Amino acid sequence: MPCWCGSGKKYKQCHEDFDKKIRHYEIMGHPVPTHDMLKNREQVELIKKSAVINRACLDAVSEAIRPGMNTQEIDDIVYQTTTSMGGIPAPLNYENFPKSVCTSVNSQVCHGIPSKKVILKEGDIINVDCSTILDGYFSDSSRMFMIGEVSEEKQRLVRVTKECVQKGLEATRPWGFLGDMAEAVHKHAEANGYSVVREIGGHGVGLEFHEEPWVSYVSNAGEDMLIVPGMMFTIEPMVNMGRPGIYTDKKNNWEVYTKDGKPSAQWEIQLYVTEDGPEVICW
Ligand code: MF3
Ligand code: CO
């Protein structure tokens, strides 16, 4: 019997022991990944090509972003960069999302819609969340940008949120659990007086924009899905300066805001899990 992974090797000599190990965790009651969530090296190489474009977009935004700029101009940069490199912006027309990138300013938590009417001003913080399709392979990452002089307290939110992602990455290991990563993320946020959004999380990614598993950043060590080599997912916590509560703008069903009106920050990386640990594919 040939292995399901497509290696051409016999199952016995390929993933049989691997599957037995997963089965062991499943019997103990843990959610475990299915084979269709796992990527092989060839797929990862193609996903990395998509990620080159995604990173180029965020690098280009980083060069251009300044006070007085409107967020439609950010959308233009992302659309131009992506298409000139042969890619497709994944957000465009995704479930009726009207633009090529998400731009979320201050108390916007995520999914902000670029607009000529949203003009960046000194002191703003903004998340630019970029996702690319290249030859059917998906990449996804986001960064925060600070516009001109930003208050100490907003600078700290942006820095701590980035540290949360770093801590989550350090807690990610094969044959650990997504909850190990989540705990590292939210403990750092909470130790700094912040809260982590509960309702919106990360996701598997690579062959689709959003794949299983759904990824929480508020669960605890030992909880949620077993992490196995071959998995690819995002670490993208939304960290609120105040309370965790959020709401979605009913006018467009996309834009998400903090209920208390306080700022929120997010950084997103895409990673691939190998036997040796996580490899960051996109940032
Ligand atoms: N890029 C977002 C993520 O990190 C998803 C945005 S969906 C969109 O998962 F349609 F708004 F682009
Ligand atoms: Co994502």
Side-chain angles (χ1 to χ4, degrees), residues 5-266:
C5 77
S7 65
K9 286 192 238 169
K10 283 194 180 133
Y11 179 56
K12 258 187 167 327
Q13 277 131 42
C14 199
H15 276 91
E16 187 181 53
D17 287 345
F18 176 90
D19 282 345
K20 276 190 186 149
K21 198 164 172 182
I22 292 178
R23 180 81 187 124
H24 161 80
Y25 285 98
E26 191 177 22
I27 288 165
M28 297 202 317
H30 295 286
V32 299
T34 49
H35 291 161
D36 59 0
M37 293 179 205
L38 309 180
K39 278 90 185 159
N40 62 36
R41 266 289 154 199
E42 290 77 68
Q43 291 169 318
V44 173
E45 289 316 308
L46 295 165
I47 294 164
K48 278 185 179 172
K49 289 191 179 165
S50 166
V52 169
I53 301 177
N54 214 62
R55 297 201 320 267
C57 287
L58 290 171
D59 289 346
V61 170
S62 164
E63 287 295 315
I65 203 161
R66 55 178 166 73
M69 190 180 200
N70 66 62
T71 53
Q72 178 57 49
E73 293 175 74
I74 295 176
D75 194 74
D76 294 341
I77 291 169
V78 170
Y79 183 83
Q80 278 308 322
T81 306
T82 304
T83 53
S84 73
M85 295 176 78
I88 301 167
L92 192 57
N93 303 320
Y94 172 80
E95 296 187 2
N96 295 322
F97 192 81
K99 299 286 175 174
S100 297
V101 64
C102 298
T103 50
S104 307
V105 183
N106 298 329
S107 69
Q108 258 177 350
V109 171
C110 63
H111 304 160
I113 301 172
S115 162
K116 276 187 183 153
K117 291 187 196 149
V118 178
I119 298 161
L120 298 176
K121 57 182 194 308
E122 186 98 6
D124 284 344
I125 58 170
I126 178 174
N127 171 273
V128 179
D129 189 341
C130 198
S131 325
T132 301
I133 316 171
L134 180 68
D135 301 329
Y137 294 89
F138 290 76
S139 53
D140 187 5
S141 62
S142 78
R143 301 181 198 163
M144 293 298 295
F145 298 98
M146 297 193 264
I147 310 302
E149 281 296 314
V150 169
S151 70
E152 285 286 339
E153 61 166 2
K154 277 180 168 174
Q155 285 184 44
R156 194 171 79 90
L157 176 68
V158 170
R159 175 173 49 79
V160 169
T161 304
K162 191 173 190 179
E163 289 166 3
C164 286
V165 172
Q166 187 60 38
K167 303 246 178 213
L169 177 64
E170 286 162 11
T172 301
R173 57 172 191 86
W175 312 108
F177 298 93
L178 287 175
D180 307 348
M181 175 280 293
E183 182 173 285
V185 167
H186 72 77
K187 278 205 162 158
H188 189 61
E190 285 154 10
N192 281 280
Y194 302 144
S195 61
V196 175
V197 170
R198 316 182 74 84
E199 300 89 335
I200 309 175
H203 50 95
V205 58
L207 309 181
E208 301 284 350
F209 193 175
H210 295 122
E211 301 173 14
E212 290 206 76
W214 185 80
V215 180
S216 165
Y217 306 104
V218 296
S219 55
N220 295 301
E223 297 176 347
D224 292 346
M225 190 174 279
L226 176 72
I227 299 174
V228 311
M231 282 171 80
M232 183 178 278
F233 60 89
T234 65
I235 301 182
E236 52 172 318
M238 283 140 265
V239 178
N240 293 354
M241 191 180 281
R243 304 289 303 150
I246 57 169
Y247 70 90
T248 303
D249 187 341
K250 284 283 160 283
K251 289 198 288 293
N252 52 52
N253 271 317
W254 270 111
E255 295 184 294
V256 178
Y257 293 82
T258 58
K259 268 191 187 154
D260 63 11
K262 292 190 179 169
S264 182
Q266 178 180 30

